[in-house]
Amino acid sequence: MAMLLRRVWETMSSRTCSTGDSSARPSCTTESSSLGAFDQIPWDVLIQIVKLIGPKEAAKLCVVSRSWRALVSDNRLWIFFLQHQQEPWDSIFFGETTLGSGYPYQTLVTGLSFMHIYGQRAQVPGSVIIDGEYFEISCQFLFFIAVRWEFGNIESPMYSRLRHFFATIYSRMQVKPSTQPIVVSIPICHYDDTENAKASRRQLKDCFQQVLFDLNVPAVCAINQATLALYAAKRTSGIVVNIGFQVTSVVPILHGKVMRKVGVEVMGLGALKLTGYLRLLMQQNNINFGSLYTVRTLKELADPSFGNMELQKLCYVAADYKAELSKDTQASLEIAGEGWFTLSKERFQTGEILFQPRMADVRTMGLDQAVALCMDHCHYAELSGDDAWFKTVILTGGSACLPGLAERLEKELRGLLPSSISNGIRVIPPPYGADTAWFGAKLVGNLSTFPGAWCATKKQFRRKSRFNIMWRSSLPYLEDDAH
């Protein structure tokens, strides 16, 4: 250790001398302790030395002396180490200070030891993440597996379908269920606050857990997709607009809990209808295509020749639909194996049905109307001391990535709502594109306290099941709608 420190110090000394900086060099020592030969080295230079040594060797310095312990436990050093991981530092900070204690949240800012957090994160057992929008294997401190799935409506027998589904995932990924906890996103469904809807949500969540525990998964963390999207945006309160496969849901969430009593607004229009409408427009304009998959690809297609992701999308949402009709919007892009496709007004007419559903013969309110209605309900419910919590709108879902959607929705909301509600409204595009909910799950699975309070074990699940059977009728609060 001493040899390594001296070598690094020699490197740092030559750098310092070459700058010609002979200003005051404050000592980092205290009257009661000493760093030995390093006593005369300025504190900031010592920090640079320890950075070069790396986190493992830096942690070992804690046992050398009290002074070294004080130096290497400096939060700035461990923030530096955490910043060099794949996960953005602002997400790490949000997760550890806001989500670290589990639900209900207890924001912790002072007194945190990021050295301890770094060490705990390095020991997290790893997580399998299963979300309906993503397929990838990635690594940070942990081992992640995620899969893309189109679950659709859950039909009877639910247990057998789910068991086959999860067993197939584990088999194809060649991962033993017993090796890591799992973070699974639960679809937004059964939107009402009725007793029947509550029972359906409990049944769905219990069935997920039952299947996974029967497969010997050690711990299960089941969170709904809207809440995960909110976490990805580094928030615990707001309105999440989830453009799903068949429907679009507008979900108010306060302190991580879905406010179903306020009302979850649902539009009978989702990604499938958007794709179908683009297909209709292409047919009307004699644009030939191979399959519905080709149309979907065109809707989401990106041209790698562009550097800006906003410019890569072929389809987009117009800021002013009528004005856009008079513009030349023709663009051509190539799909591998399919050839070139040229679209014009179809590019923005596709996303326009989110605001004018009747263009696609869909009898439902527009997206702006649904969000405005949700905000209006939140305002009059007076659930918080101020209205700031519901004025941030987070978009999520693949079709929510259409360029211009966030700006158009914000514009329409300001026109629909009175100034007392509309002031301060902000609509945020999907922070991680179509993978936003998956990144929210990754943030949870990366916490230094994971699995901890976030997961249920088989023992806890069995105990809760027995308890619920006995007391379900008299304890309606047992439903865990926060996750």
Side-chain angles (χ1 to χ4, degrees), residues 17-330:
C17 292
S18 64
T19 62
D21 184 5
S22 58
S23 58
R25 295 160 57 98
S27 174
C28 65
T29 60
T30 65
E31 292 181 2
S32 59
S33 59
S34 171
L35 294 176
F38 298 91
D39 277 347
Q40 302 306 314
I41 304 175
W43 186 271
D44 59 336
V45 176
L46 279 173
I47 287 288
Q48 294 299 319
I49 292 175
V50 181
K51 284 179 181 179
L52 290 172
I53 291 174
K56 290 184 178 180
E57 296 299 327
K60 294 178 182 179
L61 289 174
C62 282
V63 301
V64 175
S65 70
R66 184 180 302 173
S67 257
W68 278 110
R69 192 177 304 121
L71 170 66
V72 300
S73 63
D74 191 302
N75 268 344
R76 292 171 296 176
L77 173 67
W78 295 95
I79 288 173
F80 169 82
F81 289 141
L82 287 166
Q83 285 175 330
H84 284 71
Q85 306 304 317
Q86 292 181 0
E87 193 175 355
W89 163 246
D90 55 353
S91 293
I92 294 174
F93 184 81
F94 165 77
E96 296 295 343
T97 58
T98 305
L99 306 180
S101 60
Y103 184 89
Y105 315 118
Q106 298 178 9
T107 302
L108 305 170
V109 178
T110 59
L112 282 180
S113 168
F114 285 101
M115 177 180 177
H116 175 74
I117 287 172
Y118 187 100
Q120 291 295 106
R121 287 167 69 90
Q123 296 177 37
V124 172
S127 301
V128 174
I129 298 177
I130 297 182
D131 175 61
E133 302 294 334
Y134 200 64
F135 173 83
E136 183 170 310
I137 299 176
S138 65
C139 295
Q140 185 188 351
F141 293 107
L142 317 179
F143 173 57
F144 287 102
I145 296 178
V147 298
R148 185 180 188 93
W149 55 301
E150 300 288 352
F151 198 73
N153 294 324
I154 298 173
E155 301 171 357
S156 183
M158 191 192 308
Y159 178 90
S160 60
R161 291 187 65 207
L162 280 174
R163 185 179 177 88
H164 175 73
F165 169 73
F166 285 115
T168 301
I169 290 174
Y170 277 109
S171 175
R172 291 183 178 178
M173 294 297 158
Q174 299 181 350
V175 175
K176 292 182 178 180
S178 60
T179 55
Q180 289 106 4
I182 185 170
V183 182
V184 58
S185 69
I186 302 291
I188 298 293
C189 57
H190 310 298
Y191 307 97
D192 298 333
D193 195 46
T194 63
E195 290 303 316
N196 285 339
K198 291 179 181 179
S200 296
R201 289 194 294 272
R202 281 195 299 263
Q203 181 187 17
L204 176 61
K205 185 172 180 179
D206 288 350
C207 193
F208 267 81
Q209 293 179 328
Q210 180 72 64
V211 168
L212 291 166
F213 286 131
D214 286 349
L215 290 172
N216 291 322
V217 172
V220 177
C221 175
I223 310 179
N224 72 65
Q225 291 172 334
T227 304
L228 288 174
L230 200 60
Y231 292 163
K234 296 176 287 295
R235 287 169 173 79
T236 58
S237 298
I239 292 178
V240 177
V241 175
N242 181 40
I243 303 181
F245 186 64
Q246 293 182 318
V247 300
T248 295
S249 55
V250 181
V251 187
I253 300 175
L254 178 60
H255 303 315
K257 183 175 178 62
V258 177
M259 295 289 100
R260 296 185 189 273
K261 290 184 179 180
V262 172
V264 176
E265 305 298 333
V266 183
M267 295 170 54
L269 188 157
L272 183 61
K273 179 59 71 172
L274 288 170
T275 303
Y277 187 61
L278 177 56
R279 174 181 62 181
L280 176 63
L281 293 174
M282 292 173 66
Q283 289 172 336
Q284 291 176 347
N285 292 294
N286 298 316
I287 301 175
N288 298 319
F289 53 88
S291 65
L292 190 61
Y293 178 78
T294 303
V295 180
R296 177 185 174 185
T297 305
L298 280 170
K299 184 186 72 174
E300 303 174 357
L301 187 63
D303 184 353
S305 64
F306 289 106
N308 188 319
M309 283 299 294
E310 288 294 304
L311 299 176
Q312 291 180 7
K313 298 287 185 181
L314 183 60
C315 290
Y316 64 96
V317 174
D320 185 325
Y321 179 69
K322 291 183 179 179
E324 204 75 8
L325 287 170
S326 62
K327 297 179 181 179
D328 179 10
T329 56
Q330 182 172 297

Side-chain angles (χ1 to χ4, degrees), residues 367-480:
L367 180 59
D368 51 337
Q369 295 170 322
V371 178
L373 184 59
C374 182
M375 286 187 165
D376 190 60
H377 289 164
C378 291
H379 174 73
Y380 287 104
E382 297 182 344
L383 299 176
S384 181
D386 59 70
D387 287 347
W389 73 270
F390 64 77
K391 292 188 177 182
T392 296
V393 179
I394 309 296
L395 303 181
T396 184
S399 295
C401 299
L402 289 171
L405 176 58
E407 293 81 1
R408 170 70 178 278
L409 178 57
E410 188 172 309
K411 171 188 171 183
E412 297 294 343
L413 289 174
R414 295 186 186 281
L416 283 173
L417 294 165
S419 58
S420 59
I421 300 178
S422 63
N423 287 339
I425 285 178
R426 183 186 178 198
V427 181
I428 301 176
Y432 295 94
D435 315 322
T436 294
W438 188 88
F439 272 90
K442 179 181 177 182
L443 189 154
V444 172
N446 246 348
L447 291 172
S448 61
T449 54
F450 190 83
W454 285 97
C455 288
T457 63
K458 181 184 288 189
K459 184 176 180 180
Q460 291 170 335
F461 176 72
R462 302 295 188 215
R463 187 187 305 124
K464 178 183 175 183
S465 297
R466 290 194 298 269
F467 181 79
N468 287 353
I469 291 172
M470 296 172 57
W471 300 99
R472 180 77 74 185
S473 60
S474 60
L475 294 176
Y477 62 84
L478 282 175
E479 179 192 24
D480 183 8

